[in-house]
Amino acid sequence: MKSWLLSALISVFASVVAPTGAAASANVDGTADHPPCELPPAGRSEFVIDRPLFVSESPILRFRSGDDPTWADPAYDDSDWEVRRHVDGLPARSGIFWVRFTYTQPRYVRDGLSVAVVASYELYIDGRLVGRSGRVGADREAEIAGPVDNLFQIPDDLATPGERVVALRMSAWRTGFPTDVFRLNMASSDFRSLVERRMRQATSSVLAVGGAGVICVVFALWWFVVERQRVLWMCSALGLAAAVVQLLQAWRWLWVYPYDWHYPRLVAIAVTVSLLGVLLVAALLELFALNRRWGALVGVIGAVAAVWIRSAGWYHQISYWALVSALITAALIALRAWSSKRRGAVIVLVGLAGGVFGVIQGPWTFLERNFYLTFGAPMGGIAVAAALRLRDERRAARQARLTAARLEIELLKKQIQPHFVLNALTTIMEVIEQSPSEAVQLIDALAREFRMLARVSSERLIPLEQEVELCLAHLEVMSRRRAARCSLLVEGETARLLVPPALLLTLVENGLTHAPAGGEERVFRLRVEKEVGRTRLIFHSPGTSENKMDPAGGGTGLRYVKARLEESFAGRWSVESNEVEDGWRTIVEIRGQRPERGQ
Amino acid sequence: MRVLIVEDEPLIAQRLERFCRAELGGDLEQLRVVASLDAASGFLGEHPIDLLLLDLNLEGRDGMQLLETSVAGSFHTIIVSANTEHALRAFEYGVLDFVPKPFMQERLASALRRATRALVRAEHAARFLAVRKSGRVELVPVEDVIFVQGAGNYSELVRRDGRRELHDKTLERLEAVLPGDFERTHKSFVVRLSEIVSLHAYEGGRHEAVLRDGTTLPVGRSRYKGLKERLL
């Protein structure tokens, strides 16, 4: 294989593996959220601290506790100083100490030095004070914390090619990290490109804040204005958490803070990322409405807690593993949702795959430029799935409204349908010719029934007493038309019982239609049985077995009854209809105390 | 004339009965009122009738089946119903008339006249003829029938493919529900005019019509002239 190809492959491999290696070693201290993208562009970098793959290029650090101004002198012999590799870190909360190293200034312009360290320090190059960060102090009170990130411009005469000796006089009294060592990150390049890089670093976070903020606001508005659904505010909270994480990220680049703020900021990021992970799982559980939701939620909270305990103090690692465990849990949930054929499960899976890839590909950048993948992809998947679910629900709701409208029309049609009216009119014609005074009574009874019907037809539920009244009015009309006495006897407590309109009327009608014609008296009976949590309406219609009513489940009348019960007591009702010795018995059972709320 | 009324509302039944008596007068040999179809079929099994006044809810399959059974009978059927939206359908199945409720005496009288007078056709011709076959009823499309031959109390429908179907109605009653294209050509034949390709007059006053499929049918002497005029 050609050597250039080989080296290209190696460099690609290295670029993928490098951050992983860094993750393993860098978390020994707390400043480790500092990614390799801090480094100068390839080809320019010649002295780099804190990049394990290029250890050979990293200068050897000489370390000594104590304080002596002569230690800044390049000619000073530091050969007896302790050698520290960058991974060893530097002591915290233990007074003033010095670090020295040598590097070669190349021929081309490299007049910038970026230093990131959780300490106050003075920077000397070849014995000259080039810059300082805060004030180095022999004790906590004397020290003033400087910013974590500093860019220094190297004076022109020191930027000429040649060997340079760098000396740092440092103290780190105020570091909040629980560990007692921290690391030094330095990179040199030309000053302008260092400024640019720092700006770019901020830009990605600032854009992410904007994007996540929009998600937060849009979903919050949706929840507040359009639809009070839990999954909507959960999506909004996810957006908020992401915006907070990115705001905390951007804080480092946009508002320079003293280094003692670095630790609380990292804790805040780890906490927010952990919350984000738990919220992601909770949102998915809510979205897919799966069983045993609490189990999965407790599982992910447990996993995140374990991460916090295991990686205590290593904040980048906490964020990393918290997010990884949340994404894996989320993917398992999405897989289960997929196997249960939940709407949008596939798109959520795709989003989560993007998120997992983002984390694995960029263990150092998953909260920075890879954040668009690690958070954006799963969030996008969830948003689409949530939108799909809401669309389905709205369709169902519209369907339910149409059903309600249809039921109302059906009720009216039952009584005001041409068949009923025209037959009644025919009877009236005949009664007028036979006995005008009876005709007036029939018309009056008919009018009473229609008036009552008009009153209840647009209601979803009416008091049982009103329903009984309606039946009595109907029975009076039918008695006159059929020339047979029809009556309804009610037993039991009817007060405060709500039923769909024409529930009983439908049963009475069925009974009349299927009862034998003839002059004998017909008595319908209704018994109301109330128990705790359930109400039973037992309706008996007289007849003989030769005149069978539609069996349970069949017939338009029973269909109407069932549709109406489902509309008002979704899933909490049953209708049983069967033949008994002296007629037909229908039992309507309603469970639960309260009817469903209206649409 | 023997009439059966099927009506479950006593007052309406009384009204039908009253009007029947007024209209048919002395021609009424027998009048029976029943309240249900079950009772009607029981009665029909024992007693032949000429006319059925039927209140039929034509909604659903049951209604149509009952109608088919009814029109397959030897008697004429008049529907008296509030379900006017099914009137045309009822006619297609060969009912003689459809009286919408509520009705006045005059409307029922005109329906009864169709049943009593010869050569008064139904307002809308049948599109199917219901034929009783070993316990079930089969519908024969009228357009498939080329002529009908009377056979005493029955008729034979002759179809284009030569098949013959026995119908319970007399030739006169069938003629009343057939489309205007069908003409009585002989005391035993009702023929679809568009099927006749030629008419022949022979010595001795014998007349014949030749149909498209080659069948030769006798033509009544008195009907020959009128038939010829209609065909020219």
Side-chain angles (χ1 to χ4, degrees):
Chain A
M1 198 183 282
K2 288 212 170 79
S3 61
W4 64 265
L5 187 59
L6 191 67
S7 63
L9 278 174
I10 288 171
S11 65
V12 167
F13 177 73
S15 71
V16 174
V17 171
T20 320
S25 65
N27 284 295
V28 179
D29 67 0
T31 61
D33 73 333
H34 201 87
C37 64
E38 275 286 292
L39 297 167
R44 288 267 187 105
S45 79
E46 282 186 13
F47 106 72
V48 175
I49 297 177
D50 186 20
R51 192 165 182 195
L53 262 196
F54 300 94
V55 168
S56 59
E57 283 186 41
S58 297
I60 292 162
L61 302 186
R62 298 268 175 188
F63 168 85
R64 181 164 179 182
S65 290
D67 194 16
D68 183 345
T70 62
W71 292 349
D73 184 354
Y76 180 81
D77 179 16
D78 56 14
S79 56
D80 61 332
W81 285 23
E82 189 187 329
V83 175
R84 287 226 169 162
R85 305 184 63 87
H86 68 284
V87 286
D88 297 335
L90 298 166
R93 297 181 287 271
S94 58
I96 297 174
F97 57 89
W98 283 69
V99 171
R100 281 167 59 98
F101 64 90
T102 307
Y103 79 100
T104 310
Q105 179 76 315
R107 229 167 238 105
Y108 50 79
V109 182
R110 209 165 63 175
D111 55 351
L113 193 62
S114 142
V115 181
V117 65
V118 188
S120 294
Y121 57 88
E122 286 161 11
L123 170 68
Y124 298 88
I125 297 177
D126 278 358
R128 197 189 312 170
L129 180 65
V130 171
R132 56 156 51 103
S133 177
R135 194 176 75 200
V136 180
D139 53 39
R140 195 180 155 86
E141 280 63 44
E143 185 192 276
I144 294 171
V148 173
D149 293 288
N150 282 303
L151 288 183
F152 297 107
Q153 184 144 28
I154 299 172
D156 286 350
D157 55 330
L158 292 177
T160 53
E163 289 259 304
R164 301 277 174 244
V165 174
V166 176
L168 286 154
R169 176 175 175 260
M170 313 175 85
S171 70
W173 288 103
R174 291 165 187 276
T175 167
F177 288 90
T179 47
D180 57 359
V181 291
F182 62 91
R183 237 160 63 202
L184 177 64
N185 293 273
M186 293 180 85
S188 79
S189 182
D190 65 291
F191 189 74
R192 202 178 58 93
S193 66
L194 284 175
V195 172
E196 271 177 19
R197 198 165 334 109
R198 195 164 160 165
M199 262 159 49
R200 273 202 299 277
Q201 189 91 31
T203 311
S204 111
S205 289
V206 168
L207 283 176
V209 171
V214 167
I215 289 172
C216 170
V217 170
V218 166
F219 276 100
L221 274 179
W222 199 352
W223 174 80
F224 192 73
V225 180
V226 184
E227 193 102 58
R228 292 291 168 105
Q229 286 235 15
R230 219 179 292 166
V231 72
L232 290 178
W233 72 249
M234 281 177 158
C235 283
S236 175
L238 271 173
L240 182 67
V244 169
V245 168
Q246 289 306 305
L247 202 64
L248 289 167
Q249 290 283 352
W251 181 16
R252 175 168 180 177
W253 309 110
L254 296 179
W255 297 278
V256 173
Y257 51 80
Y259 78 77
D260 53 352
W261 277 97
H262 197 59
Y263 172 73
R265 176 182 150 265
L266 287 175
V267 174
I269 288 177
V271 167
T272 320
V273 169
S274 302
L275 279 178
L276 184 102
V278 172
L279 207 55
L280 180 79
V281 169
L284 276 188
L285 289 170
E286 175 64 26
L287 177 65
F288 292 127
L290 295 168
N291 301 329
R292 295 199 293 275
R293 274 191 252 181
W294 288 108
L297 205 57
V298 167
V300 75
I301 291 172
V304 170
V307 166
W308 273 82
I309 292 162
R310 247 191 77 92
S311 310
W314 304 359
Y315 292 98
H316 186 85
Q317 195 160 329
I318 289 174
S319 298
Y320 180 84
W321 286 112
L323 204 56
V324 165
S325 42
L327 283 172
I328 288 171
T329 315
L332 290 175
I333 291 166
L335 271 175
R336 232 186 84 199
W338 182 52
S339 72
S340 323
K341 300 200 166 49
R342 290 290 201 279
R343 194 106 154 101
V346 172
I347 196 138
V348 170
L349 265 178
V350 170
L352 287 171
V356 170
F357 178 78
V359 177
I360 291 173
Q361 198 269 333
W364 286 109
T365 56
F366 73 91
L367 291 179
E368 294 173 17
R369 57 159 198 263
N370 268 27
F371 193 71
Y372 293 96
L373 261 180
T374 50
F375 173 75
M379 186 68 223
I382 291 174
V384 172
L388 284 176
R389 194 184 95 172
L390 288 175
R391 191 185 65 177
D392 289 355
E393 283 178 2
R394 308 212 117 198
R395 281 186 182 162
R398 198 162 54 228
Q399 198 55 49
R401 276 200 299 279
L402 287 177
T403 307
R406 218 194 49 232
L407 286 174
E408 185 183 333
I409 290 166
E410 210 160 285
L411 188 159
L412 288 173
K413 242 173 68 187
K414 277 159 106 60
Q415 298 311 321
I416 311 181
Q417 63 180 320
H419 182 71
F420 179 85
V421 174
L422 295 174
N423 271 305
L425 286 176
T426 315
T427 310
I428 289 168
M429 272 185 173
E430 182 61 22
V431 185
I432 288 171
E433 285 172 16
Q434 289 185 15
S435 156
S437 66
E438 264 182 53
V440 170
Q441 282 172 11
L442 176 55
I443 290 170
D444 186 52
L446 204 59
R448 204 159 50 239
E449 185 185 349
F450 281 166
R451 261 198 304 272
M452 232 173 267
L453 204 62
R455 204 160 53 225
V456 302
S457 62
S458 60
E459 303 291 325
R460 272 165 58 105
L461 291 167
I462 59 168
L464 183 61
E465 285 148 324
Q466 209 172 342
E467 175 70 17
V468 168
E469 231 176 286
L470 178 63
C471 290
L472 290 174
H474 183 66
L475 285 172
E476 191 186 339
V477 172
M478 291 315 284
S479 300
R480 292 180 183 280
R481 280 175 57 179
R482 292 280 175 92
R485 249 183 66 76
C486 305
S487 55
L488 172 68
L489 293 180
V490 182
E491 293 170 49
E493 177 76 17
T494 58
R496 282 177 319 182
L497 198 59
L498 292 176
V499 293
L503 177 90
L504 216 52
L505 184 65
T506 307
L507 299 177
V508 166
E509 265 180 350
N510 258 9
L512 283 171
T513 313
H514 296 87
E520 81 267 32
E521 182 173 356
R522 219 182 325 280
V523 183
F524 295 93
R525 286 196 302 274
L526 173 71
R527 198 165 77 242
V528 182
E529 289 180 359
K530 272 186 175 176
E531 289 168 35
V532 180
R534 69 180 57 200
T535 306
R536 279 148 67 91
L537 303 177
I538 300 163
F539 180 79
H540 179 268
S541 90
T544 57
S545 54
E546 289 150 41
N547 295 278
K548 279 184 183 146
M549 210 169 108
D550 285 333
T556 47
L558 223 46
R559 262 210 306 283
Y560 171 84
V561 167
K562 287 176 177 179
R564 268 274 144 117
L565 286 169
E566 180 62 24
E567 180 195 37
S568 293
F569 304 97
R572 294 188 285 116
W573 59 272
S574 62
V575 174
E576 194 186 304
S577 184
N578 45 41
E579 202 183 330
V580 288
E581 208 175 314
D582 53 347
W584 201 271
R585 193 175 59 189
T586 307
I587 301 174
V588 177
E589 185 175 293
I590 296 166
R591 293 179 294 276
Q593 298 293 334
R594 298 177 146 274
E596 301 275 306
R597 298 274 296 277
Q599 293 282 330
Chain B
M1 184 146 215
R2 296 157 296 179
V3 180
L4 175 65
I5 295 172
V6 181
E7 170 61 63
D8 64 344
E9 292 203 31
L11 284 159
I12 301 177
Q14 284 169 28
R15 186 172 180 78
L16 286 168
E17 191 178 339
R18 202 153 57 86
F19 291 169
C20 278
R21 290 194 191 285
E23 181 60 25
L24 298 171
D27 291 343
L28 192 66
E29 296 166 41
Q30 185 192 64
L31 191 142
R32 178 67 183 253
V33 177
V34 294
S36 72
L37 282 156
D38 288 343
S41 60
F43 180 81
L44 285 171
E46 314 266 310
H47 310 84
I49 60 162
D50 302 303
L51 178 65
L52 175 70
L53 295 179
L54 180 61
D55 170 27
L56 189 60
N57 180 8
L58 294 170
E59 302 276 359
R61 245 183 92 245
D62 289 355
M64 289 322 292
Q65 254 172 10
L66 290 168
L67 180 64
E68 282 173 22
T69 322
S70 170
V71 294
S74 62
F75 46 86
H76 269 313
T77 301
I78 293 175
I79 304 283
V80 183
S81 171
N83 289 74
T84 43
E85 66 265 41
H86 294 297
L88 277 177
R89 198 133 151 250
F91 276 117
E92 283 182 0
Y93 279 73
V95 305
L96 188 65
D97 207 345
F98 188 106
V99 178
K101 282 181 186 170
F103 55 90
M104 311 272 273
Q105 183 164 357
E106 183 42 40
R107 180 64 187 86
L108 190 73
S110 86
L112 292 173
R113 277 197 293 275
R114 277 187 212 277
T116 48
R117 292 190 195 161
L119 291 176
V120 179
R121 302 242 183 177
E123 200 164 303
H124 301 275
R127 281 184 55 215
F128 304 99
L129 294 173
V131 177
R132 214 184 291 276
K133 275 187 171 175
S134 57
R136 66 195 167 82
V137 172
E138 191 183 300
L139 291 175
V140 176
V142 169
E143 57 196 29
D144 202 26
V145 175
I146 53 175
F147 68 91
V148 185
Q149 183 169 9
N153 287 334
Y154 302 97
S155 303
E156 269 188 314
L157 311 177
V158 181
R159 301 173 71 165
R160 284 184 202 283
D161 57 8
R163 270 190 292 160
R164 287 172 171 253
E165 316 276 2
L166 215 56
H167 197 288
D168 282 350
K169 279 191 175 53
T170 59
L171 197 58
E172 285 74 24
R173 286 190 180 143
L174 267 183
E175 193 186 354
V177 298
L178 283 171
D181 189 24
F182 281 87
E183 183 98 347
R184 189 72 170 263
T185 56
H186 186 267
K187 66 179 192 323
S188 301
F189 292 98
V190 171
V191 183
R192 187 190 284 277
L193 294 187
S194 55
E195 290 293 317
I196 298 176
V197 287
S198 59
L199 286 176
H200 303 278
Y202 297 100
E203 283 179 33
R206 201 158 58 82
H207 302 281
E208 277 179 2
V210 179
L211 304 190
R212 194 163 292 169
D213 66 351
T215 314
T216 307
L217 296 176
V219 175
R221 192 184 315 168
S222 58
R223 303 178 201 266
Y224 179 75
K225 210 177 157 199
L227 187 61
K228 202 171 172 185
E229 274 165 16
R230 276 203 69 181
L231 284 170
L232 281 175

